[in-house]
Amino acid sequence: MAVPTRVDQDLQDYYLALQNKDYIEEEDIWRLMDAYRVKFGVDLVYIAEVLLERKGVVFTHVNFSQEKYNLLGQVRHYSMEESSADGMKGDSLRDYSEEQPENSAVLYYRILRNHSCDGFIGLADFHGKREWTQEEREAVRKLGRVMRHIIYIERAAKAAAADHEKLFYQQSLFARSKQESQREKRRLEEENRQSQMLQALSMDFNSVFFVDLDIGSAVSCRMNDDIVRRYGTTMTGEFPYEERMHQYIQDVVYEPDRELLKRESSVSVLKERMAKDPSYYVNYRAMRDGETEYFQMKAVRAGAWTESHRIVLGFRSVEEEIRHEMAQKKLVEDSYEIIAGLSSDYSFIALVDSENGQMSIYKGQSQLPEVEESRTSSRAYKDVVEAYAQYVYREDRRLWLEAANMERVLEKLQNRSIYNVNIRSNSGKKMEYIQFSFTKVCGHRGNVQIVLAKRTITGMIQREIQQRNLAEDALAQAERENRAKSTFLSNMSHDIRTPMNAIIGFTGLALKHINQQEKVQEYLEKIMSSGNHLLSLINDVLDMSRIESGKIHIEEQPCSLPEIMHELRNILQGDMSSKRLDFYIDTIDVVNEKIFCDKLRLNQVFLNLLGNAVKFTPAGGTITMHIVEKPCSIDNYANYEFRIKDTGVGMSKDFLEHIFEPFEREETPDVNRIQGTGLGMAITKNIVDMMHGKIEVESEQGSGTEFIISLMFRLQSAHQEPQEILDLKGCRALVVDDDFNTCDSVTGMLQQLGIRSEWTLSGKEAVLRVHQAVNRRDEYQLYIIDWLMPDMNGVELARQIRAKVGDEPPIIVLSAYDWMDIEQEAQKAGVTGFCGKPMFFSELRECLSDAFNPKRKNACGLKKIPEEHYSGRILLAEDNELNQEIAVEILSEAGFQVETAENGRIAVEMVSKSQPGYYKVVLMDVQMPVMDGYEASRTIRKLENEKLASIPILAMTANAFAEDQRAALECGMNGHIAKPVDVGKLFEMLGDLVEE
């Protein structure tokens, strides 16, 4: 048997005193519970009452040894066991406290009323399992009976007294008005609500005050020991609110937070806050025993705010909560810095405790954004993972559940810092790629915690897929190019050997038949043709190489569209005639003819396309080129569309997809018979792209091909000449041509000049119209007729027109050919002038001005070029003996005297020692030993004798690119001609230099 102690006697005294009292003070209950805890050496003595809905209990009285065991005011779920009598039981408090270890011991007394459990009184030891003694059991039973007396007997008596008082009070109010009764009822309800609110606040806040903000007074409802010790009776009863509050702030609150609490606890701010929200709180720091501690002040409305401004003000320590929150936040912030180092687009971040499986949200919604609240009523990690599975792509759900399992996560994080799980989600309207990142960190209690972060990686995955596809496409393209290059080398071997074989073979035949002039001439012509073809092959390969290396640049220079088109026709006319091809060039709405462009590259595009049209169009076919000017939204610019169409063999749809790729040629019998490298279209496409244009192609096998090139050019001048010619305004004109497009184009241009025009496709019909016009006295004042028409040529038509109308009206003949052979005959037939095709507006206007103005020279006719008879001395700087021999022979036959120099230094010495005028021109090679042509030219330009220093120098070199031409001009040369030498062009340039 235990030895009685002073504590035993105190407990017995308390017990007897409580039994004999009619009214039990609250302080008596707290002192008795404190005595029980000390007596039996337990961690917790508690009273818990069953909630009305019987779904748990609330701890109404708690005496504890450590703050972490403070369950006061907390509600916990607990299963109720039905019993017919009061009883005792030993069990665990794991359902009550999350902090409770498993080896705890609890002894409690269950209070029953009407066979239902209404409350518990118990002792708890959290430091180990223990066997409760009979003395301890009897002590708890005594305490339980006292509390049962308090809870039921005493409360029932109070309730009965209150009911009696209420009945009496109601009877006394019977005579009052209905309005006063309702107001009193509302007051009682409000008082009841305030009482409940005070009771609720008292459970969490250890200091509670009732404050009337209108009069600035406060009444203490409950104060903790620290406030009682500091201020004694100055805060009991009614006291001035702001005065005591300022005193409390000055004495207790941490200095940096004093202004904050002064402002937030002032009457004016509280009124402002309470007008917006029914409750408000602010956290601050206070000094306790020399250290700072976090506290919270909470204000709650009391009563109708529109009638009075009264609040309940509560104060409590939130040290553990704030410290815990700060520690948790610091852990996640540290972990988030790790994750943020990888990416900044995480939409959800949470901290998962690996021991209890609970999840705390750091960033994002209360659960994962896709998971509705109804799916997961708690923040248990396992529940969230399972709920999220429904939003995972069906094929990835098993992967998600296995990969996100906590055991699997911990296993993966043993040897790595981050573990990523990639899945596909169908939570939105389209599938998204999602990545969950798991990072292991240490919790504030030393436990393992996991940072869970979620982000969308659809863009990254799509880029990876795109890059993989690009790599695969690049590999496929490289393989195609390798195959194409192999085919190209094979074709080039054939294409180069074919003309070389012809050159060597016909050279041998010429030597063999050296005395047979006609055969030798035939052989030499074939050698020339083969050499030109070989040169075109080499030029194509070099151009493609320069394009791929980025060495070709577009150089805009002032150009004339009519000049470009006429030169193009002259170049192609011979090939067109030899194959008996019809070639038409017409313009539509071309007003701006003076442009800036790279004439060389534009000609290269047209010659490639028209050259192919000539190659692949059978004899008797037709090739057309339409030029259309279209409006442009940019000032001082114009859009042009060039359509080149033929009636040739056409191309298959499969080949059209690769037509602009290097080394590509369609494998058909018709194409294989025609020589080519397969580079022309690739070069054309690259040049058009460099001009910021567009090229399209339409083709069908057996029906021909059409290329559409769209380009934008800068105009030389925005100023346009006046459209109308006043002398011709209102005149009547007749256009005769068997090509509809020409008739339409010329008629449109005449209308712009103010001339009434008609057209016909037949010469015979034209004669009939002239006859009718004469008879009606409405004669034509202008005739524009084509030279070559099926039923009647232009000369004969002019002769018949003159016979009917006389010599007055001008007759202009259009021709795409050289009219030198028929010029005299045409003039005798009455032709006023000639105009070439294609006809541009400026040319037509000029031709008409000449035709109607006898004082002007005839600009419509052909300018005769007199035969040139050269003389003078030329210095040829050339290190190659074979090239020297060829050049000397060509120049000598033209009448020049030629002296040679083996390198640039010798050439400089010969010029410097000569008299001014001794040499008419210096032909300078570029690549020579000792001193190259560029350095030699610069040295000559620096000679003291100005006349010698200004001697014309012409570069004649195999360096044929645009940059070579620029380099020649920059070093002081007057011009550039490429090898192999175009003899006609050479003599044209020499003639110009000699004349100068």
Side-chain angles (χ1 to χ4, degrees):
M1 180 179 292
V3 178
T5 63
R6 178 62 183 272
V7 176
D8 299 328
Q9 186 61 45
D10 289 342
L11 290 176
Q12 184 66 18
D13 293 343
Y14 284 142
Y15 176 69
L16 294 175
L18 290 174
Q19 281 187 321
N20 295 328
K21 278 188 177 182
D22 293 333
Y23 179 73
I24 306 299
E25 297 289 344
E26 187 77 11
E27 288 78 3
D28 294 331
I29 299 175
W30 290 102
R31 281 196 294 271
L32 181 61
M33 293 177 69
D34 186 63
Y36 263 67
R37 182 179 60 79
V38 174
K39 161 68 177 174
F40 299 111
V42 294
D43 294 306
L44 179 66
V45 179
Y46 68 89
I47 300 174
E49 295 187 33
V50 176
L51 298 173
L52 291 176
E53 66 273 17
R54 307 193 62 78
K55 293 184 178 179
V57 296
V58 58
F59 289 86
T60 58
H61 298 76
V62 176
N63 189 282
F64 49 85
S65 61
Q66 298 183 39
E67 181 66 29
K68 66 180 180 178
Y69 302 138
N70 183 4
L71 301 180
L72 183 63
Q74 296 191 27
V75 176
R76 290 293 185 269
H77 172 75
Y78 196 77
S79 176
M80 301 299 151
E81 295 182 7
E82 299 296 335
S83 178
S84 60
D86 297 345
M88 298 185 64
K89 188 177 181 182
D91 202 349
S92 170
L93 271 182
R94 281 176 292 172
D95 289 330
Y96 294 156
S97 172
E98 294 182 357
E99 304 292 337
Q100 175 58 31
E102 293 185 0
N103 59 350
S104 61
V106 176
L107 178 66
Y108 65 86
Y109 179 86
R110 183 169 56 245
I111 302 173
L112 300 180
R113 184 179 65 167
N114 297 331
H115 308 290
S116 296
C117 179
D118 276 4
F120 301 87
I121 296 96
L123 310 178
D125 186 349
F126 296 146
H127 292 85
K129 292 286 187 180
R130 60 187 288 182
E131 294 295 331
W132 300 100
T133 65
Q134 185 61 33
E135 179 187 8
E136 292 166 336
R137 291 176 178 274
E138 185 63 27
V140 172
R141 184 177 289 107
K142 288 181 179 181
L143 180 61
R145 289 171 179 169
V146 171
M147 295 308 160
R148 183 167 183 257
H149 172 82
I150 294 172
I151 294 173
Y152 297 118
I153 299 174
E154 185 177 306
R155 286 187 183 176
K158 290 180 180 179
D163 290 341
H164 178 72
E165 182 181 356
K166 183 176 181 181
L167 180 60
F168 176 78
Y169 183 69
Q170 288 175 346
Q171 290 174 349
S172 66
L173 291 177
F174 185 75
R176 295 185 183 182
S177 67
K178 184 178 180 180
Q179 183 178 4
E180 291 178 349
S181 298
Q182 291 176 347
R183 184 165 59 250
E184 185 64 19
K185 182 180 179 181
R186 287 197 299 271
R187 186 185 66 77
L188 291 174
E189 290 176 350
E190 183 62 27
E191 287 181 355
N192 185 44
R193 191 184 71 81
Q194 292 179 23
S195 176
Q196 292 175 357
M197 182 173 59
L198 283 171
Q199 183 180 0
L201 279 175
S202 298
M203 294 172 66
D204 290 329
F205 291 81
N206 47 26
S207 294
V208 181
F209 302 90
F210 186 84
V211 182
D212 190 330
L213 297 178
D214 292 328
I215 62 176
S217 66
V219 176
S220 62
C221 302
R222 181 179 179 183
M223 292 189 296
N224 64 12
D225 295 339
D226 185 52
I227 293 180
V228 172
R229 186 175 64 252
R230 284 177 180 271
Y231 303 105
T233 59
T234 60
M235 284 194 178
T236 58
E238 187 173 352
F239 58 87
Y241 164 69
E242 286 196 324
E243 178 183 338
R244 294 290 186 272
M245 191 67 193
H246 289 170
Q247 183 180 356
Y248 167 76
I249 293 172
Q250 193 65 31
D251 294 344
V252 178
V253 177
Y254 188 46
E255 184 176 359
D257 293 349
R258 288 175 184 171
E259 289 301 321
L260 166 68
L261 193 58
K262 280 182 182 179
R263 182 179 69 253
E264 297 301 324
S265 64
S266 66
V267 170
S268 58
V269 172
L270 285 172
K271 283 184 177 181
E272 180 182 347
R273 302 284 192 196
M274 292 293 99
K276 296 178 181 179
D277 297 301
S279 64
Y280 165 70
Y281 73 89
V282 61
N283 294 335
Y284 62 94
R285 290 167 294 180
M287 297 300 297
R288 177 179 284 186
D289 299 329
E291 295 185 356
T292 60
E293 183 176 339
Y294 283 93
F295 277 81
Q296 182 180 95
M297 179 190 80
K298 184 173 183 179
V300 181
R301 285 183 194 167
W305 190 256
T306 56
E307 298 178 2
S308 61
H309 302 114
R310 293 177 294 175
I311 63 172
V312 176
L313 207 60
F315 295 84
R316 67 168 181 148
S317 173
V318 290
E319 176 70 13
E320 288 195 6
E321 296 176 23
I322 297 295
R323 297 295 182 189
H324 177 72
E325 183 180 343
M326 291 172 63
Q328 293 281 32
K329 188 173 181 180
K330 182 64 170 60
L331 284 173
V332 180
E333 285 176 348
D334 292 344
S335 303
Y336 182 53
E337 288 180 3
I338 299 172
I339 300 172
L342 302 175
S343 175
S344 61
D345 57 349
Y346 288 94
S347 61
F348 175 84
I349 298 180
L351 195 66
V352 182
D353 192 317
S354 63
E355 293 182 359
N356 59 30
Q358 293 298 306
M359 185 170 67
S360 301
I361 309 302
Y362 175 74
K363 178 183 178 183
Q365 301 179 11
S366 59
Q367 305 294 341
L368 290 177
E370 295 87 349
V371 180
E372 301 174 0
E373 287 293 329
S374 60
R375 295 285 303 171
T376 52
S377 57
S378 68
R379 289 188 180 180
Y381 169 74
K382 182 179 179 182
D383 294 340
V384 174
V385 169
E386 292 177 353
Y388 186 74
Q390 70 166 330
Y391 297 100
V392 177
Y393 206 62
R394 183 180 298 275
E395 285 77 2
D396 293 352
R397 287 179 185 173
R398 183 175 179 183
L399 165 67
W400 163 248
L401 293 173
E402 292 179 354
N405 181 274
M406 184 53 67
E407 294 181 0
R408 179 73 173 274
V409 171
L410 294 174
E411 178 185 347
K412 290 290 185 180
L413 290 174
Q414 286 181 354
N415 300 317
R416 64 177 78 174
S417 57
I418 295 179
Y419 165 48
N420 293 325
V421 177
N422 296 340
I423 58 169
R424 292 168 294 176
S425 171
N426 56 6
S427 61
K429 294 182 179 179
K430 60 180 181 179
M431 184 189 72
E432 296 279 0
Y433 287 90
I434 305 296
Q435 182 179 85
F436 286 89
S437 294
F438 299 84
T439 305
K440 182 171 66 174
V441 296
C442 183
H444 69 286
R445 300 190 309 273
N447 59 325
V448 175
Q449 300 204 33
I450 305 297
V451 174
L452 172 63
K454 168 186 172 286
R455 64 172 176 169
T456 300
I457 57 171
T458 303
M460 182 173 69
I461 295 295
Q462 288 177 344
R463 285 192 295 272
E464 291 177 358
I465 294 173
Q466 185 179 11
Q467 289 172 358
R468 185 165 61 251
N469 291 339
L470 288 175
E472 292 174 355
D473 292 343
L475 178 61
Q477 178 67 17
E479 290 174 351
R480 283 198 303 270
E481 290 183 359
N482 285 335
R483 288 194 298 270
K485 285 182 180 179
S486 299
T487 304
F488 162 74
L489 291 175
S490 176
N491 292 339
M492 282 298 295
S493 175
H494 172 269
D495 290 347
I496 290 176
R497 288 176 182 274
T498 298
M500 286 299 299
N501 181 63
I503 292 171
I504 295 171
F506 285 119
T507 302
L509 290 173
L511 292 173
K512 185 176 181 180
H513 302 89
I514 192 68
N515 295 323
Q516 300 179 24
Q517 185 175 352
E518 292 182 359
K519 284 191 174 183
V520 170
Q521 183 176 350
E522 180 184 351
Y523 296 152
L524 292 177
E525 288 175 354
K526 292 179 179 179
I527 290 172
M528 177 68 74
S529 175
S530 298
N532 287 335
H533 175 62
L534 182 60
L535 180 61
S536 70
L537 293 177
I538 295 171
N539 285 339
D540 279 351
V541 174
L542 292 177
D543 276 347
M544 196 65 218
S545 174
R546 286 163 51 76
I547 287 173
E548 290 181 344
S549 62
K551 293 183 178 179
I552 286 186
H553 302 283
I554 300 299
E555 298 182 0
E556 290 187 346
Q557 299 292 336
C559 298
S560 167
L561 271 179
E563 180 183 333
I564 293 172
M565 292 300 111
H566 287 306
E567 289 179 0
L568 197 62
R569 176 178 280 281
N570 291 337
I571 292 171
L572 295 168
Q573 192 62 60
D575 292 336
M576 298 282 187
S577 299
S578 64
K579 288 192 70 174
R580 301 190 305 280
L581 299 174
D582 292 329
F583 182 36
Y584 301 101
I585 303 178
D586 57 74
T587 62
I588 301 174
D589 298 332
V590 177
V591 178
N592 298 288
E593 302 169 4
K594 302 292 185 180
I595 60 173
F596 286 94
C597 74
D598 190 325
K599 181 179 177 181
L600 176 65
R601 298 304 170 192
L602 186 61
N603 268 332
Q604 190 173 2
V605 169
F606 293 148
L607 286 172
N608 277 344
L609 297 176
L610 289 168
N612 280 347
V614 172
K615 286 181 185 179
F616 298 108
T617 302
T622 302
I623 300 173
T624 60
M625 183 173 184
H626 299 286
I627 308 167
V628 183
E629 181 178 338
K630 296 185 175 182
C632 182
S633 59
I634 304 176
D635 292 341
N636 209 32
Y637 280 81
N639 292 317
Y640 297 87
E641 182 180 87
F642 302 89
R643 288 179 171 265
I644 297 173
K645 187 175 183 179
D646 63 59
T647 57
V649 298
M651 293 173 281
S652 66
K653 291 184 178 179
D654 292 338
F655 179 70
L656 286 179
E657 297 178 2
H658 307 286
I659 185 173
F660 296 118
E661 296 178 8
F663 316 113
E664 289 290 339
R665 297 189 73 197
E666 189 166 22
E667 296 296 328
T668 65
D670 291 334
V671 174
N672 290 338
R673 288 197 301 268
I674 300 172
Q675 295 174 335
T677 60
L679 292 173
M681 289 297 98
I683 293 171
T684 298
K685 179 69 165 61
N686 278 278
I687 292 175
V688 171
D689 288 344
M690 286 189 288
M691 290 182 170
H692 307 291
K694 183 174 69 172
I695 182 170
E696 301 172 273
V697 58
E698 298 174 1
S699 184
E700 185 176 344
Q701 281 186 322
S703 300
T705 302
E706 182 176 21
F707 286 91
I708 302 101
I709 306 100
S710 301
L711 297 168
M712 182 173 66
F713 295 125
R714 182 164 58 98
L715 306 179
Q716 293 184 29
S717 174
H719 172 71
Q720 300 293 329
E721 295 184 14
Q723 298 293 306
E724 297 181 348
I725 300 176
L726 296 179
D727 294 340
L728 301 181
K729 187 174 182 180
C731 288
R732 192 176 180 210
L734 179 63
V735 179
V736 187
D737 197 305
D738 61 321
D739 178 51
F740 167 78
N741 291 324
T742 301
C743 289
D744 185 60
S745 177
V746 174
T747 301
M749 288 188 279
L750 289 173
Q751 289 174 349
Q752 292 182 52
L753 292 170
I755 298 173
R756 295 181 297 127
S757 57
E758 302 173 10
W759 57 269
T760 178
L761 300 175
S762 166
K764 292 180 179 180
E765 184 180 346
V767 173
L768 179 60
R769 288 196 183 190
V770 172
H771 179 72
Q772 292 174 344
V774 171
N775 290 339
R776 295 172 183 172
R777 298 178 183 265
D778 186 17
E779 298 181 18
Y780 297 104
Q781 284 81 38
L782 172 65
Y783 298 90
I784 299 176
I785 61 178
D786 187 26
W787 174 21
L788 296 177
M789 291 183 289
D791 59 343
M792 184 183 297
N793 67 44
V795 176
E796 179 59 29
L797 178 58
R799 186 179 290 111
Q800 293 192 27
I801 291 174
R802 285 293 179 211
K804 293 183 179 295
V805 301
D807 298 333
E808 178 98 12
I811 300 176
I812 298 173
V813 173
L814 300 178
S815 177
Y817 307 94
D818 186 0
W819 56 75
M820 288 291 295
D821 294 337
I822 64 159
E823 186 173 11
Q824 291 183 357
E825 181 186 0
Q827 289 176 350
K828 289 179 181 180
V831 173
T832 309
F834 292 89
C835 196
K837 290 183 180 180
M839 178 180 285
F840 286 83
F841 185 80
S842 61
E843 296 174 323
L844 176 62
R845 193 177 190 284
E846 180 72 14
C847 190
L848 293 179
S849 298
D850 292 340
F852 283 90
N853 188 353
K855 295 181 180 180
R856 294 185 56 170
K857 293 183 180 179
N858 184 8
C860 301
L862 179 67
K863 295 180 180 179
K864 295 183 180 179
I865 301 176
E867 293 185 7
E868 297 288 353
H869 300 284
Y870 300 105
S871 62
R873 186 175 282 101
I874 291 178
L875 175 60
L876 174 64
E878 173 64 68
D879 62 314
N880 185 281
E881 293 182 1
L882 183 59
N883 289 341
Q884 270 190 16
E885 184 179 349
I886 295 172
V888 170
E889 187 66 27
I890 293 172
L891 294 170
S892 298
E893 286 185 357
F896 290 107
Q897 299 177 24
V898 183
E899 296 182 7
T900 61
E902 289 75 19
N903 58 60
R905 179 175 294 174
I906 295 175
V908 172
E909 291 174 356
M910 293 176 68
V911 171
S912 61
K913 292 177 181 180
S914 67
Q915 294 298 319
Y918 180 75
Y919 295 115
K920 296 289 186 182
V921 178
V922 177
L923 294 179
M924 186 77 72
D925 188 19
V926 171
Q927 293 186 357
M928 294 184 293
V930 184
M931 180 184 288
D932 63 39
Y934 296 144
E935 184 62 31
S937 298
R938 283 191 287 266
T939 305
I940 290 172
R941 296 299 183 219
K942 295 177 182 178
L943 293 176
E944 294 181 0
N945 190 313
E946 293 183 1
K947 292 186 177 180
L948 290 178
S950 61
I951 187 172
I953 303 174
L954 182 63
M956 191 166 68
T957 173
N959 297 351
F961 299 125
E963 56 265 30
D964 300 318
Q965 298 177 21
R966 286 198 302 271
L969 296 176
E970 288 171 358
C971 72
M973 296 187 185
N974 299 82
H976 177 283
I977 187 166
K979 296 177 183 177
V981 176
D982 183 333
V983 177
K985 187 175 181 181
L986 171 63
F987 284 126
E988 182 182 347
M989 296 181 71
L990 286 175
D992 293 340
L993 291 175
V994 170
E995 286 180 4
E996 291 176 2

